Amino acid sequence: MQTFNTNEMTQQFDNFFMAPVRAYMTLSIDYSEKMLNAQLDANKSYVDTGIAQMRQLMSVKDASGLRSYMEGQQKVAKELAERVKGDTDKVVALQQDFLQKGQKLTEDNVKQAQAAASKMSKTA
């Protein structure tokens, strides 16, 4: 009667299935955390700008103040456009980094599987 080495089977299962899953999940969680933080930072900036603009509008008391407020809106619009561009670039960089790391994980796992399959075919 042949005995099975369950420790070896467990180790192989972990190496071939669970380790890649853990690595990908770690990558996904890190990416999600970075994206969430980027979104929170962007939202806070946009809300702060909006509140500041409302406060400025509330302080307008005459035509001169309104004209000054309206002229300032061009500067605010330009700053917001630059902020949106910066936020977009940040998100794109995060996505590219995630994609590259995900591809590397996949390539490493394929190489490991090929090496294991080659080793098994030689022992068989």
Side-chain angles (χ1 to χ4, degrees):
M1 185 169 166
Q2 187 178 19
T3 60
F4 291 103
N5 184 349
T6 57
N7 288 336
E8 185 178 330
M9 289 173 53
T10 302
Q11 184 64 39
Q12 287 177 350
F13 179 78
D14 186 62
N15 288 343
F16 291 116
F17 297 106
M18 296 310 294
V21 168
R22 280 192 300 271
Y24 185 75
M25 288 305 297
T26 299
L27 179 64
S28 295
I29 290 169
D30 289 345
Y31 168 74
S32 297
E33 180 182 25
K34 289 174 185 176
M35 284 294 289
L36 181 60
N37 286 331
Q39 290 172 346
L40 289 172
D41 290 345
N43 286 336
K44 180 165 180 7
S45 174
Y46 301 142
V47 167
D48 289 347
T49 299
I51 289 173
Q53 289 304 297
M54 287 187 279
R55 289 187 191 279
Q56 283 184 351
L57 183 59
M58 296 279 296
S59 69
V60 171
K61 294 185 174 45
D62 56 15
S64 174
L66 181 60
R67 182 176 31 254
S68 176
Y69 172 79
M70 295 306 288
E71 289 170 355
Q73 292 302 294
Q74 293 175 354
K75 180 182 174 193
V76 171
K78 182 179 177 187
E79 289 172 357
L80 279 175
E82 290 172 3
R83 174 67 196 226
V84 168
K85 182 184 180 313
D87 291 339
T88 302
D89 292 344
K90 187 175 186 177
V91 168
V92 168
L94 286 171
Q95 290 173 338
Q96 288 175 341
D97 183 55
F98 177 74
L99 180 63
Q100 290 170 351
K101 288 179 179 176
Q103 285 175 336
K104 182 165 179 6
L105 275 175
T106 302
E107 289 169 3
D108 291 347
N109 291 331
V110 167
K111 287 177 186 176
Q112 182 182 1
Q114 287 173 340
S118 176
K119 182 180 175 183
M120 285 183 195
S121 67
K122 289 179 183 177
T123 59

